[in-house]
Amino acid sequence: MKRVVYFVLIFLLIIPLMSCAQGKRSYVIGFYNLENLFDTYHDEGKNDYEYLPDGANQWTEAKYAKKLHNMASVIRAMKDENKVWHALLGVSEIENRHVLEDLVSQPEIAEANYQIVHYDGPDRRGVDVALLYRPNQFKVLESKSIPFDFNSSIEFSLNEEEKAYFRTRDILMVRGMLGNEMFAVFVAHLPSRIGGKGFDLRSRGGEIMYQESMKLMEAYPDIKIVAMGDMNDNPTDPSMAVYMHGKENIDEVEQEDFFSPFVSMLKSGYGSLAYQGEWNIYDIIVVNANLCRGEGLKIRPIVKKKFYGRIFNPPFMTQQEGPYAGTPFRTFSGGAFIGGYSDHYPTYIVVSNK
């Protein structure tokens, strides 16, 4: 009789533990522009000459090691704040897979065991986007590199010769299982604003991500989708608000819309980078309707219990003095190496099932 009572007690203790293990699941999903994470070697066909030891930036192994340490320190600091590692972290301005392998092996973050999804893209300067993921949380089922094209009703400013010459970063799509739910991630770095140009090109970038998202939702109606990247636009600009169908208010999101949590943050004065003296949020994350309602994983408010996005901007990542005080502490300033982090702050969201 005592043995029966003993096993019953053990069973009653195990049941709550099993419920906890199978209960609340929460994941941090973010994006970080690493600001020119180049190694010190020339990649054939890429314009990486300024990031060589004898190049304009005198990019030595010591500077490269400092850059890796800084990037890893930021990822670690976000983990320390959240008490968990990012499950999914999109990155941009990386030269190749080699720099990512060096990054994920840094002692600050090696324990996270980040795996890499990366494709060499056509960008003439040689920078790509990629996804870092934790294999114990996200299982990759497929991935592809989506090229930029002009198959659109958008009226482009480029002539046919300019279109033929134009090259930009591909958009990365990774589909897999986050926990036990079908999940897809898009990572983008849309065309530059240099010279005040690219409005139409960024609109096309948003349109491509949206069209690819609708294809996924048609094939997998319950799929949860996150699109992230350095959009070189604010979330209120047409690329995101019109062509990506980004909505400011979560209650207004229809089935073929995306919720754009950084719209309200931008309007409240938040920024992920300072451009021409003004704060902007170019480091955008949007989620589809399936992450706003229904069963399973949903996006949750994480800042002041009302904002669904987080811009990670602690003092150590911020310039403390000089004309750029208060802005992101970057790697170079005025052509001089100052040993900072990036000209962008990382952003992230949290999704959970409770």
Side-chain angles (χ1 to χ4, degrees):
M1 183 66 182
K2 288 183 178 179
R3 279 185 79 176
V4 172
V5 172
Y6 173 77
F7 283 114
V8 168
L9 289 172
I10 292 295
F11 180 75
L12 291 174
L13 286 170
I14 289 174
I15 289 297
L17 292 174
M18 291 175 62
S19 298
C20 289
Q22 298 172 0
K24 183 175 180 179
R25 290 173 289 119
S26 183
Y27 303 99
V28 179
I29 299 172
F31 173 78
Y32 194 15
N33 180 324
L34 302 182
E35 194 200 13
N36 296 318
L37 182 56
F38 282 79
D39 60 26
T40 61
Y41 304 97
H42 174 57
D43 282 8
E44 191 65 34
K46 293 187 177 181
N47 185 15
D48 58 359
Y49 296 103
E50 62 182 326
Y51 284 93
L52 297 176
D54 59 353
N57 291 325
Q58 297 181 334
W59 193 241
T60 62
E61 286 292 335
K63 290 177 180 177
Y64 176 53
K66 173 65 172 173
K67 178 74 172 178
L68 290 170
H69 166 73
N70 284 357
M71 298 294 92
S73 296
V74 172
I75 297 169
R76 177 74 198 204
M78 288 191 284
K79 184 265 183 184
D80 291 342
E81 176 178 277
N82 292 309
K83 310 305 180 189
V84 294
W85 296 103
H86 280 64
L88 301 165
L89 179 61
V91 294
S92 69
E93 291 200 18
I94 53 98
E95 183 183 15
N96 49 39
R97 186 181 181 90
H98 170 240
V99 299
L100 293 173
E101 290 173 346
D102 285 349
L103 174 62
V104 300
S105 64
Q106 292 297 296
E108 296 84 1
I109 64 173
E111 68 183 67
N113 190 33
Y114 280 118
Q115 303 300 300
I116 300 163
V117 182
H118 166 260
Y119 293 86
D120 282 317
D123 183 80
R124 295 192 188 281
R125 197 164 65 88
V127 292
D128 300 323
V129 298
L131 181 71
L132 307 182
Y133 69 95
R134 299 197 71 205
N136 64 331
Q137 296 178 315
F138 184 70
K139 178 182 178 182
V140 174
L141 298 176
E142 69 163 326
S143 65
K144 64 178 179 178
S145 195
I146 305 166
F148 185 95
D149 64 47
F150 294 93
N151 301 324
S152 172
S153 60
I154 293 172
E155 187 173 337
F156 294 102
S157 58
L158 304 182
N159 61 36
E160 293 306 312
E161 183 179 354
E162 289 170 329
K163 287 179 183 178
Y165 181 79
F166 180 75
R167 298 288 185 274
T168 192
R169 282 76 57 174
D170 286 357
I171 297 169
L172 175 65
M173 190 286 295
V174 185
R175 182 176 65 86
M177 300 297 294
L178 186 64
N180 60 359
E181 297 190 38
M182 182 75 73
F183 214 91
V185 183
F186 291 87
V187 187
H189 185 184
L190 298 187
S192 171
R193 280 181 169 242
I194 292 176
K197 299 179 180 179
F199 162 87
D200 49 344
L201 303 175
R202 292 187 296 278
S203 292
R204 177 56 182 152
E207 184 179 54
I208 290 171
M209 279 190 288
Y210 182 78
Q211 292 171 342
E212 292 290 331
S213 297
M214 292 303 102
K215 291 177 185 177
L216 285 172
M217 291 180 67
E218 183 177 356
Y220 312 100
D222 296 325
I223 193 169
K224 311 290 175 76
I225 300 176
V226 171
M228 64 172 78
D230 176 358
M231 307 304 182
N232 272 307
D233 266 340
N234 279 307
T236 50
D237 288 323
S239 62
M240 295 292 104
V242 177
Y243 291 95
M244 197 67 206
H245 294 236
K247 304 296 182 184
E248 176 180 358
N249 299 311
I250 196 168
D251 295 334
E252 297 175 356
V253 176
E254 302 290 341
Q255 188 58 26
E256 294 188 351
D257 292 331
F258 279 76
F259 172 48
S260 188
F262 290 97
V263 173
S264 58
M265 298 191 75
L266 178 69
K267 291 181 177 180
S268 296
Y270 290 84
S272 65
L273 80 160
Y275 182 75
Q276 295 183 345
E278 294 185 3
W279 280 102
N280 300 273
I281 302 179
Y282 292 174
D283 306 275
I284 296 170
I285 304 172
V286 298
V287 305
N288 73 335
N290 290 340
L291 269 168
C292 298
R293 62 181 67 92
E295 299 297 320
L297 295 173
K298 290 188 281 293
I299 189 171
R300 305 294 179 179
I302 54 175
V303 176
K304 298 182 179 180
K305 297 184 177 179
K306 68 174 183 176
F307 293 119
Y308 288 77
R310 170 83 163 100
I311 298 170
F312 188 69
N313 57 354
F316 78 89
M317 293 173 58
T318 302
Q319 188 78 37
Q320 298 298 315
E321 56 187 12
Y324 301 109
T327 65
F329 183 21
R330 57 194 302 166
T331 308
F332 285 87
S333 180
F337 179 77
I338 58 174
Y341 297 81
S342 173
D343 55 348
H344 292 243
Y345 293 129
T347 56
Y348 64 80
I349 62 171
V350 173
V351 301
S352 71
N353 62 348
K354 287 186 181 178

